[in-house]
Amino acid sequence: MVRHLLPISALLFGSALLLFAGGIHSLILPVRGSAEGFTATSLGLLGTGWAIGYVLGCLFVPRLVGAVGHIRTFGVMCAFAAVSILIQALIVEEWAWIPVRAVSGFCFAGAAMIVESWLNDRAQPSTRGTIFGIYTMVNLVALTAGQMAISQGDTTGFLFFAVGAVFYCLALVPTALSTSASPAPLTTVRLNLPALWRNSPVAVAAVFMVGISNAAFGTLAAVYADRVGLGLTSLALFASVPVLAGALSQVPIGFASDRMDRRIVLIAAAVAALSADLAFILLAPEGRLENLLLAGLFGAAIFAMYPIIVAHANDHAPPGTSIQVSGGLLMVFGLGSIVGPLIAGVMMSKAGPQGLFLTTICAHATMRP
């Protein structure tokens, strides 16, 4: 496995730096927004704005990759992500944050599409699930570290916005200096969702539901923790423990998906997520320990789903279509991410903190093999 990872080590390191900055960015906005008096609906719209940008990135970034290549495009995504967080530090207003958040969504879609197509270009079917699991694990550990950094300083000032911008800029360095060969130039960049559906309807349907669930939780987990009375440190842990649990689950679940039908592994993860959803809704935990334990189970399940879906779709894809498969799945994921935070924000406004998990349980219950 080491010989498979060495050629992509710079790519993984750059992606980790990007996700560290993304962890800071994703948590500082709801924390600072809550302190400024933003409503749950407007905080949910931050996730919706991000997802709209994400979808647009899936549509337009492949053309940019085709024109200037993978490495230059990755650098552009990192640079614009840094610009977006700095603008939000300068203009602390709901009307400004939502569209600017769409810019960061655009950048993350582009970066993810580039990295995933690059990884698929290097992976073999017998190791694809494990490699994508390691990639996801690295990203989730970095995301957790970024979120936990929030608890170490003042969230009411400029500090964490600046730190996020620094790491966004650093993320472009490893791939820019790497001597490893990048994927071959693209000959076609048009996304084809009907072809993706014919290739793997399971992947398309499942990734839409995962987009709803993961975006709702990623956007509003901090708001849930604040509304049930957890302090700042516990709030950061509540956002970070699911991500860390998801990171730890990647390798064993990826290994299992390489040795049995990936659809069976996906449904097992969905059942685990449903169990956590039900516990949050029926038990309505208020204590720190209960919330963190359930959040760990929830994260271990939901963050394991996407790499399984990507590996399953690529197993059935024609050769040379990795950027189209990755881009198509990311776009469908983004479409789910548009509606997830918006629905969850409305549900939390009407049903209280548990409204978040009323949204995720519907997404997980509708997943089918």
Side-chain angles (χ1 to χ4, degrees):
M1 182 54 63
V2 173
R3 65 185 176 88
H4 294 295
L5 293 177
L6 283 177
I8 58 172
S9 58
L11 188 65
L12 293 176
F13 186 43
S15 184
L17 291 171
L18 185 72
L19 266 294
F20 180 83
I24 293 174
H25 199 172
S26 66
L27 194 55
I28 191 62
L29 294 183
V31 171
R32 180 67 178 273
S34 291
E36 296 288 338
F38 294 4
T39 66
T41 300
S42 66
L43 292 173
L45 283 171
L46 285 174
T48 298
W50 186 91
I52 291 172
Y54 201 90
V55 171
L56 293 174
C58 293
L59 291 173
F60 292 105
V61 169
R63 301 179 187 178
L64 186 58
V65 174
V68 303
H70 291 74
I71 294 176
R72 290 177 179 173
T73 305
F74 187 80
V76 170
M77 297 301 105
C78 295
F80 273 98
V83 170
S84 70
I85 193 173
L86 290 174
I87 290 175
Q88 287 170 320
L90 294 172
I91 308 174
V92 186
E93 299 286 349
E94 293 165 291
W95 60 265
W97 277 18
I98 293 169
V100 174
R101 188 61 172 150
V103 175
S104 58
F106 185 97
C107 296
F108 269 83
M113 191 184 309
I114 292 163
V115 173
E116 289 176 16
S117 64
W118 204 331
L119 290 175
N120 189 67
D121 189 68
R122 297 288 182 267
Q124 301 297 321
S126 61
T127 60
R128 183 172 286 123
T130 303
I131 286 177
F132 271 96
I134 291 172
Y135 156 68
T136 306
M137 179 183 70
V138 168
N139 283 352
L140 292 178
V141 169
L143 185 67
T144 302
Q147 291 177 330
M148 286 306 300
I150 293 293
S151 65
Q152 303 304 308
D154 181 14
T155 60
T156 62
F158 187 77
L159 173 65
F160 287 111
F161 292 91
V163 172
V166 167
F167 276 90
Y168 276 138
C169 293
L170 288 175
L172 64 84
V173 175
T175 53
L177 296 180
S178 174
T179 58
S180 297
S182 61
L186 299 178
T187 57
T188 177
V189 295
R190 185 180 297 276
L191 299 184
N192 189 338
L193 292 184
L196 183 61
W197 175 265
R198 292 192 297 271
N199 171 54
S200 180
V202 170
V204 174
V207 83
F208 180 75
M209 296 303 169
V210 170
I212 292 175
S213 167
N214 291 20
F217 184 78
T219 302
L220 294 167
V223 179
Y224 168 89
D226 181 61
R227 299 288 168 85
V228 298
L230 300 182
L232 178 60
T233 300
S234 296
L235 184 151
L237 282 171
F238 186 81
S240 301
V241 164
V243 182
L244 183 59
L248 294 175
S249 72
Q250 294 303 314
V251 174
I253 291 178
F255 183 83
S257 76
D258 282 337
R259 282 152 182 79
M260 65 178 69
D261 191 328
R262 299 193 205 274
R263 293 172 296 181
I264 295 174
V265 181
L266 178 63
I267 291 304
V271 170
L274 277 169
S275 301
D277 291 328
L278 283 170
F280 273 115
I281 294 168
L282 298 178
L283 300 179
E286 296 181 355
R288 169 176 169 165
L289 180 60
E290 299 94 326
N291 273 293
L292 293 181
L293 287 174
L294 289 177
L297 172 61
F298 185 81
I302 67 167
F303 290 115
M305 294 178 186
Y306 184 78
I308 299 171
I309 294 168
V310 173
H312 174 74
N314 278 292
D315 286 344
H316 299 84
T321 61
S322 60
I323 191 75
Q324 287 78 29
V325 171
S326 294
L329 290 176
L330 286 168
M331 188 172 76
V332 176
F333 179 88
L335 291 171
S337 299
I338 290 173
V339 299
L342 182 58
I343 294 171
V346 173
M347 291 296 292
M348 291 179 75
S349 295
K350 295 183 177 298
Q354 278 68 39
L356 172 59
F357 297 100
L358 290 172
T359 304
T360 59
I361 196 172
C362 292
H364 297 143
T366 51
M367 293 179 67
R368 294 288 187 273

